[in-house]
Amino acid sequence: MTDVLAIADHRRGELRPVSYELATAGRELADETGGDLHLAVISGAVDEFGEKLAREGVDVVHTVADGEEFNHDVYVQAIEQLVDTIDPQYVLVPNSVNGLDYAPAVAGRLDLSIVTDVVDLAVDGDSLIATREMYGGKVETTTELDAGTALATIREGEWPEAEGTADASIEAFDAEIDEDAVGSTVTGFEEVAGGDVDISEADLLVSIGRGIEEEENLDLIRDLVDALDATLSSSRPIVDNGWLPANRQVGQSGKVVTPDVYIAIGISGAVQHVAGMKGSDTIVAINTDPNAPIMDIADYAIHDDLFDVVPALIEEFQ
Amino acid sequence: MKILVTVAEVATVDDEFEIDGTEIADQYLNADLNEWDDYAIEEAVQLQEGGVADEVVTVTIGPEESEQTIRQALAKGADRAIRVWDESLEGVDLLDVRAKTEILKAVVAEEEPDLILSGVQTGDDSWMATGVSLAESLDFQWSAVVNDLDHDLEDGTASVRRELEGGVEELSEVDLPAVLTIQTGINEPRYASLRGIRQAQRKPLDAKTLDDIGVDAGVVDGSLELTDMYEPESESDATVWEGSAEETAGELAEMLREKGVTA
Ligand SMILES: Cc1cc2nc3c(=O)[nH]c(=O)nc-3n(C[C@H](O)[C@H](O)[C@H](O)COP(=O)(O)OP(=O)(O)OC[C@H]3O[C@@H](n4cnc5c(N)ncnc54)[C@H](O)[C@@H]3O)c2cc1C
C-alpha cells in the first residue's frame, strides 16, 4: 500500500516525453511513501516501450499488450486490474488529452479521490498535498487529499524527464479485457493546421490574443506585421473565433514555435499557450496586466495598452 | 432525442486582486458563463435546430445568484433549466469531482437524456474531470476534448473528433448514450437575441435541493480540502520598459533593431 503506479503516454508509435516526467514525479512520491515505483504502458509496441521506460528510479515496468492505439475503455479496464494486483497508494496519470479521457473514469471505478493538473506533489503523513493553479495561473493553491489512495494527473513539463537506465524488471501483465465493455472505437487520425504558412519556421512572430477584442482590430496587428516584416500568429481564442486559420495557433493544440523573437500582444500566457512558445529565444509581452502569467517567461515587458503601444511601434518602423 | 448540457457559472478575476484565506475576495471576482459550456450549449441548440434533438435541458450546480448565467443559456436557446443548490453547499471552497458526479447523476436519472454535453473544463478551477467521471458513473460512453461532432446521430453512435496535442485529431465513434466534453472552437456560439432574452425569462428554471433529487448531503464532505491559496512567486526576470507608449515602443524598436529587424 505504499507503492506508486504511473501510466505512460504514447501515441502513434511513440512514447510521449511526459512518460519520463512521470517516472521522475513517481520516484519522488515513492521516496516519500517508502514504496516502489511501477510504470505501466498499455497498448501499442509495449515491449519496445517497456525497454525505453526502464529509466533511473523505476522499479518495475508492466507491459499490457492489448490494443494498438489508445482506447479509454481498454485503459480503464487494464488500470483497474493493475491497481488490484499492485495495490498502490497513489496512481499518477499525465494531464494529457488522453490522460483526461480515462483518469476520471478510473477514479470513479475504483472510488479514488482525484486531483488534476498538479504542478507539485508532497506527502504529509496520510495526506497527499497537491499544488495546482486556478484562474488561469493567477493563483496557486494547495489541496489536501486525506484519502488513503488517490489519483493525480500531472501537468506536462513540470518535472524533469528521468534519464539513464535502471535494472527495472519488465513484466508482461496479463489483463483481461472485456471487449463488450468497449463502447468507442478510434477510426483514424488527422493532422490539422497545414496550409499557406508554417509559423514554426518564422524568425520573428507577432502573436495576438484576446486582448485585441474585435476582429476589425486585427488590421492594426497586420500593419505591425507588415512594418516588421514578421509572421502573424495567435493564441487559441482568435482561431476559435474564426478570425485566423488554425495554422496560426501557437500552443499545446496548435504549433510549437521557437523564433528568435516572439512578441505576445494581449495574451495572458495560459499553460496551454506557453507550451507552444516557451522555447522562443527572446519573448516580449505587451499586456495591461502586470501580473499576467506571460510575464513569468517574458524577457522584456510593456505593461500598457496594446492600442497605444502597437501604433507607436508601427510608427518606429515607417 | 434529449440533450442535457452542464452549465457552470465561473468567476473571472480582476487584474488587481487580494486573497482572503483560501479565496479571492469577492469584490475582485466577476461571474460569467463558463467559456467551454457556451460552446456546449451552442452545439446542443444546433442539434435541436437541425431536428436531431427534441429538447435541450441545462443543469447547473450553483446558488440563486447563478440564475443570471443560467438565463443566458436559456436565451441562447435551451428549453429549460435545472439548478441544484443546498445549504450544505454554502461556503464549500472546492467541491470534489465525486460530489459533482453524484449530484449530476441524480439529475440525469430524472431527466434520462440520450446525450450529455459538458465543457472540457471550467475556466476558474480547470478541473477537467467531471464529464468523464459522470459518464463512468452512469455507465454511459464518453469522449473527452471533442472539437467536432457529426450531427447524424441516427444509428445511435456519435462520430467525433478529439483534439489531441500538437495539431493532431483523433476520429472516433462513440455509442450513445454518451457524455461528450466540448472544446472551444467546435462552433461559433451565438449572442442571445433580444427576443431570446425576453423568452428566457419565461422558460422554466427549477431550483432543487439535494434532498429533492435524493442525494445525501454527506457527499459534499469530500476527501479534498483547499488548504492554501497564494499568488505564485513571480519567476519573472523580465526587463520592464516604462514610460509613455512612444517611449516603450521606442525601447522595443531598439531591441528589435539590435536583433537585426530592419524592415
Ligand atoms: C485542452 C486545451 C487545449 C488548449 N490549447 C491551446 C493552444 O494550443 N493555444 C492557446 O493559446 N490556448 C489553448 N488553450 C486555451 C487556453 O487555456 C487559454 O484559454 C487561451 O490561451 C487564452 O488566450 P489569450 O491569452 O489570448 O486570452 P486571455 O486569457 O483572455 O488573455 C487576454 C490577455 O489580454 C490582456 N489584454 C486585454 N486587453 C488588453 C489591451 N488593450 N492591451 C494589452 N493587453 C490587453 C489581458 O490582460 C489578458 O492577459 C487550450 C485549452 C484547453 C483546455
Side-chain angles (χ1 to χ4, degrees):
Chain A
M1 248 290 298
T2 54
D3 289 357
V4 174
L5 169 65
I7 314 295
D9 214 36
H10 62 89
R11 199 167 75 202
R12 301 166 88 194
E14 307 249 359
L15 280 170
R16 299 187 62 246
V18 68
S19 304
Y20 305 116
E21 296 163 19
L22 276 159
T24 305
R27 182 71 259 160
E28 283 176 10
L29 208 54
D31 283 345
E32 293 203 48
T33 59
D36 284 342
L37 170 61
H38 302 254
L39 205 53
V41 58
I42 303 165
S43 307
V46 289
D47 293 334
E48 179 202 323
F49 294 156
E51 297 284 336
K52 289 189 173 152
L53 287 168
R55 292 204 176 171
E56 248 163 56
V58 180
D59 296 303
V60 190
V61 179
H62 302 269
T63 58
V64 184
D66 302 83
E68 278 308 310
E69 283 300 340
F70 172 75
N71 179 297
H72 61 230
D73 293 314
V74 173
Y75 267 58
V76 172
Q77 293 186 49
I79 296 168
E80 198 180 351
Q81 294 167 37
L82 282 161
V83 168
D84 261 356
T85 309
I86 298 165
D87 192 24
Q89 184 164 9
Y90 299 120
V91 180
L92 295 186
V93 170
N95 197 68
S96 60
V97 175
N98 282 345
L100 292 166
D101 197 42
Y102 68 84
V106 169
R109 187 77 57 92
L110 295 169
D111 203 22
L112 305 177
S113 293
I114 179 171
V115 58
T116 58
D117 201 17
V118 304
V119 297
D120 199 15
L121 282 170
V123 176
D124 181 14
D126 283 338
S127 304
L128 181 68
I129 316 281
T131 305
R132 56 194 309 281
E133 294 180 344
M134 273 180 70
Y135 303 108
K138 285 196 167 180
V139 301
E140 245 171 49
T141 63
T142 53
T143 300
E144 196 172 319
L145 290 88
D146 60 11
T149 55
L151 184 153
T153 69
I154 70 159
R155 176 176 288 185
E156 298 189 35
E158 289 293 324
W159 279 266
E161 292 180 22
E163 310 272 350
T165 48
D167 51 7
S169 57
I170 302 177
E171 300 172 6
F173 184 84
D174 200 6
E176 274 174 47
I177 306 297
D178 173 6
E179 293 295 334
D180 292 339
V182 176
S184 64
T185 342
V186 178
T187 55
F189 292 94
E190 235 168 73
E191 306 260 356
V192 291
D196 55 335
V197 275
D198 185 355
I199 55 171
S200 62
E201 298 281 312
D203 297 328
L204 174 59
L205 281 173
V206 167
S207 207
I208 186 66
R210 185 141 51 187
I212 195 69
E213 285 170 16
E214 305 280 339
E215 187 171 13
E216 301 87 271
N217 298 338
L218 269 184
D219 285 344
L220 176 68
I221 304 303
R222 289 207 171 85
D223 289 347
L224 178 64
V225 166
D226 287 345
L228 296 177
D229 198 10
T231 304
L232 180 60
S233 61
S234 78
S235 67
R236 175 172 192 125
I238 305 299
V239 172
D240 283 344
N241 288 345
W243 298 349
L244 286 177
N247 60 13
R248 302 280 176 164
Q249 182 179 315
V250 173
Q252 172 191 305
S253 48
K255 286 261 162 72
V256 174
V257 299
T258 52
D260 296 338
V261 182
Y262 186 88
I263 308 179
I265 306 177
I267 292 178
S268 63
V271 55
Q272 296 94 348
H273 184 80
V274 168
M277 45 68 73
K278 59 172 184 245
S280 305
D281 225 33
T282 299
I283 297 168
V284 182
I286 303 175
N287 197 310
T288 40
D289 179 3
N291 299 315
I294 190 85
M295 297 304 168
D296 284 349
I297 55 159
D299 300 294
Y300 297 97
I302 298 175
H303 302 157
D304 203 352
D305 194 319
L306 74 92
F307 294 105
D308 295 328
V309 178
V310 172
L313 187 57
I314 294 171
E315 194 72 14
E316 285 280 340
F317 285 89
Q318 269 168 358
Chain B
M1 181 162 108
K2 182 169 173 180
I3 303 180
L4 185 72
V5 186
T6 63
V7 172
E9 181 178 89
V10 294
T12 56
V13 187
D14 292 341
D15 287 356
E16 302 290 335
F17 61 91
E18 274 167 40
I19 293 170
D20 182 8
T22 54
E23 289 175 339
I24 291 183
D26 260 355
Q27 66 263 40
Y28 307 105
L29 294 175
N30 316 291
D32 208 348
L33 168 62
N34 182 37
E35 187 181 349
W36 281 263
D37 298 343
D38 197 10
Y39 289 87
I41 295 161
E42 178 65 32
E43 199 61 20
V45 171
Q46 287 187 12
L47 282 162
Q48 187 174 43
E49 288 169 348
V52 182
D54 318 306
E55 195 184 18
V56 175
V57 182
T58 68
V59 55
T60 301
I61 302 171
E64 198 173 346
E65 298 86 76
S66 64
E67 293 198 355
Q68 217 182 331
T69 296
I70 298 171
R71 294 276 175 210
Q72 284 184 41
L74 294 171
K76 285 165 184 265
D79 297 304
R80 58 189 176 85
I82 296 161
R83 179 177 67 80
V84 181
W85 194 244
D86 206 80
E87 266 180 11
S88 59
L89 292 164
E90 218 74 63
V92 176
D93 286 344
L94 183 75
L95 197 55
D96 78 358
V97 175
R98 195 184 278 139
K100 284 187 262 194
T101 302
E102 286 302 315
I103 293 169
L104 295 173
K105 184 181 170 185
V107 173
V108 173
E110 289 185 354
E111 293 292 332
E112 301 185 340
D114 306 284
L115 179 64
I116 301 173
L117 302 182
S118 75
V120 165
Q121 65 168 1
T122 45
D124 48 8
D125 65 16
S126 307
W127 212 272
M128 309 187 189
T130 307
V132 172
S133 172
L134 176 63
E136 193 281 332
S137 77
L138 291 164
D139 236 343
F140 278 25
Q141 301 303 322
W142 72 86
S143 190
V145 194
V146 169
N147 71 354
D148 189 56
L149 167 64
D150 187 338
H151 287 193
D152 180 22
L153 299 167
E154 303 297 313
D155 57 352
T157 54
S159 303
V160 302
R161 278 171 186 262
R162 294 182 58 230
E163 179 194 274
L164 306 179
E165 292 85 358
V168 176
E169 295 182 349
E170 176 201 289
L171 286 67
S172 49
E173 307 275 334
V174 188
D175 296 343
L176 299 182
V179 179
L180 308 179
T181 77
I182 300 296
Q183 174 64 315
T184 57
I186 187 172
N187 52 40
E188 275 187 53
R190 70 196 65 196
Y191 291 97
S193 64
L194 279 176
R195 188 161 153 264
I197 293 168
R198 247 181 286 121
Q199 283 176 339
Q201 297 306 318
R202 294 192 301 272
K203 287 182 178 173
L205 195 170
D206 288 336
K208 299 188 184 225
T209 63
L210 293 185
D211 200 36
D212 292 338
I213 56 170
V215 170
D216 189 287
V219 299
V220 174
D221 308 318
S223 50
L224 249 66
E225 201 191 340
L226 197 62
T227 49
D228 199 7
M229 179 182 286
Y230 48 91
E231 286 192 58
E233 218 164 289
S234 174
E235 292 157 23
S236 178
D237 49 9
T239 304
V240 181
W241 289 314
E242 312 207 19
S244 68
E246 286 69 28
E247 286 164 327
T248 56
E251 300 264 19
L252 172 51
E254 195 180 320
M255 187 278 283
L256 290 173
R257 286 194 190 100
E258 273 167 25
K259 302 248 173 225
V261 179
T262 51

